[in-house]
């Protein structure tokens, strides 16, 4: 499960080398408790099978399965071998189970220059750290832009809310400046979607803008001072490389040039009619802030540093049995990477084992594959089992696959994602993110009944979980998707929150967690097997509900 902001994820990866090297654990002999766990004969065979995968994948030897690391590749080989044992056919490239993903890391190579020019006044050079921090542009090593600037409110266009922050302004060939975040009036998943800078840049690009500037909003200035951003301005970020070796961004040709502080924005827009009103409206929490074309032009020169490392997605497939349906592919996905070696906890442990996040999801994926094999009855549609890399770096491996699938893209009909099922309690319901958006909803409801539970409501819509794991990359390609968790009924909520507060993205997310209940892991597998089985065997192909927000936005099957 991805951290809510990339900023934080990047922070945890940027420790000094000395801290990373302090990992004395690797050579330690197992404790009595660990040995006991190893020989625990009380587990049923299906529980032991699940646990066995987690033992390997979340072991200290895997060093947290950081995408791009050698340990991650060993984990990928393990999954490939398990896919083979489960009877899956290779579905990577060149007849193998692997799909190499070129992960491209990038960051600003220098502080760059930003100059504001206005006729009749002398040019103003913005000050690094005080007025702005530069963005990195993965598409190019050198970015030079000199253009007029248009302020476009929060940069949101949402016809279903009759909202267009670009109303009355023409941004063709211009730099668009927008406030960060989303104003009030959007909830949950849509809020997370509209608040994303990447999604805003896509809108700016579609309108012909040549670059985007993100402005500190008066409210974001209160929550996170601009000075915090100056501490992390040169951290590495990640995307994937295209065939030419350039970094993919969703808003092709419209890079994020810089972030400006309130002070920097005053220097850019101070002389413009409209800016004072815009600031006032934002400060008052008004959802709509009127756009305007600035009388200034902005010249930006930025350099970007890049490096590429290859990391593998792992893919296996069960060919469908129905001559009419077998070309359609249902993708079951789970991320194999975790966050690697990081900050030491109170015990001096630096290894982020990622047992729940997401060795548990991979174990479920493998065991689901085995259930298909054991059933002796192949599914009517084909089912692909996909373990992806670099989820923790921004859903990168899934995005690469969704753009470059190893089967024709038009054949992908559904995605069911497994990420961080917290199996520390006997769950009484399940949560199915995205279920209400497509015909996958009723399927999920029937399938969870198979393990004796119903589907509960999203308990934390403000967290935007629907856009924080790999299924979101399939959604963005128009593919109906669903993502399941054990639910929050009964003791669930408390147990889940305890996991988030004490173990999530910490070295303590380990197999030694005494709260893990393997019988609940098996129930989770059974529910997901029932879901996959029904999607693959149903007469009708999964479809978005008519008019669904994401379905319409990404032109998905059935939405329009
Ligand atoms: Zn995570």
């Amino acid at each position: 499960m991805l951290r809510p902001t990339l900023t934080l994820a990047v922070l945890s990866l940027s420790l000094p080398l000395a801290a990373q090297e302090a990992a004395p654990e690797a050579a330690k002999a197992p404790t009595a408790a660990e040995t006991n766990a190893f020989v625990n004969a009380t587990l049923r065979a299906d529980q032991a099978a699940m646990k066995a995968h987690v033992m390997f994948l979340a072991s200290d030897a895997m060093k947290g399965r950081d995408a791009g690391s050698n340990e991650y590749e060993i984990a990928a080989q393990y999954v490939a071998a398990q896919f083979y044992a489960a009877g899956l056919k290779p579905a990577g490239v060149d007849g193998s189970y692997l799909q190499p993903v070129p992960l491209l890391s990038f960051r600003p190579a220098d502080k760059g220059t930003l100059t504001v020019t206005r006729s009749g006044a002398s040019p103003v050079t913005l000050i690094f750290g005080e007025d702005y921090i530069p963005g990195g542009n993965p598409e190019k090593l050198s970015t030079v832009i000199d253009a007029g600037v248009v302020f476009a409110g929060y940069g949101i266009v949402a016809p279903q809310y009759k909202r267009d922050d670009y109303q009355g302004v023409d941004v063709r060939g211009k730099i668009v400046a927008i406030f960060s975040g989303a104003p009030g009036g959007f909830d949950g998943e849509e809020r997370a979607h509209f608040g994303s800078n990447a999604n805003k840049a896509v809108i700016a690009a579609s309108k012909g803008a040549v670059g985007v500037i993100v402005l500190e909003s008066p409210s974001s200035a209160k929550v996170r001072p601009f000075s915090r951003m100056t501490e992390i301005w040169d951290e590495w970020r990640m995307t994937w490389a295209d065939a030419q070796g350039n970094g993919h961004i969703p808003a092709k040709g419209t890079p994020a040039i810089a972030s400006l502080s309130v002070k920097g924005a005053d220097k850019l827009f101070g002389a413009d009619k409209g800016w004072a009103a815009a600031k006032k409206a934002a400060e008052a929490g008004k959802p709509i802030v009127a756009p305007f074309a600035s009388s200034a032009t902005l010249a930006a020169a930025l350099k970007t540093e890049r490096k590429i490392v290859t990391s593998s997605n792992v893919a296996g497939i069960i060919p469908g049995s129905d001559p009419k349906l077998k070309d359609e592919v249902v993708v079951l996905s789970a991320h194999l990477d975790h966050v690697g070696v990081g900050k030491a906890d109170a015990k001096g442990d630096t290894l982020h084992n990622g047992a729940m996040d997401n060795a548990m999801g991979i174990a479920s994926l493998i065991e689901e594959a085995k259930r298909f094999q054991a059933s002796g009855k192949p599914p009517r549609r084909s089912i692909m089992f996909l373990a992806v890399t670099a989820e923790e770096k921004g859903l990168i491996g899934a995005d690469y696959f969704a753009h470059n699938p190893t089967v024709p893209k038009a054949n992908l009909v559904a995605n069911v994602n497994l990420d961080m099922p917290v199996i520390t309690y006997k769950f009484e319901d399940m949560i199915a993110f995205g279920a209400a958006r497509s015909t996958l909803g009723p399927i999920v409801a029937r399938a969870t009944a198979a393990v004796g539970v119903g589907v509960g409501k999203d308990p934390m819509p403000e967290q935007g979980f629907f856009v924080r794991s790999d299924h979101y990359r399939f959604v963005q390609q128009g593919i109906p998707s669903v993502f399941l968790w054990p639910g929050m009924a009964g003791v669930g909520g408390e147990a889940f929150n305890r996991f988030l507060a004490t173990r999530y993205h910490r070295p303590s997310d380990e197999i030694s967690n005494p709260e893990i209940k393997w019988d609940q892991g098996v129930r989770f597998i059974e529910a997901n097997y029932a879901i996959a089985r029904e999607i693959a065997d149903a007469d009708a192909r999964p479809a978005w509900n008519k008019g669904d927000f994401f379905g319409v936005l990404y032109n998905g099957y059935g939405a329009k």
Side-chain angles (χ1 to χ4, degrees), residues 436-517:
R437 299 184 173 281
S438 72
T439 58
L440 296 177
I443 290 179
V444 166
R446 278 193 296 276
T448 56
V451 294
V453 301
V455 177
K457 261 187 31 202
D458 179 351
M460 293 166 260
E462 73 285 356
Q463 287 268 6
F465 285 125
F466 187 63
V467 301
R468 279 172 55 190
S469 188
D470 295 309
H471 53 278
Y472 186 48
R473 299 309 191 197
F474 290 90
V475 168
Q476 289 177 311
Q477 300 301 318
I479 298 158
S481 302
V482 69
F483 160 49
L484 267 87
W485 266 348
M488 305 292 142
V491 297
E494 199 195 319
F496 179 83
N497 283 323
R498 187 164 54 246
F499 175 80
L500 274 198
T502 63
R503 297 184 188 268
Y504 170 69
H505 278 215
R506 294 169 197 246
S508 54
D509 178 12
E510 296 175 297
I511 197 167
S512 60
N513 177 354
E515 292 187 60
I516 295 176
K517 292 188 167 48

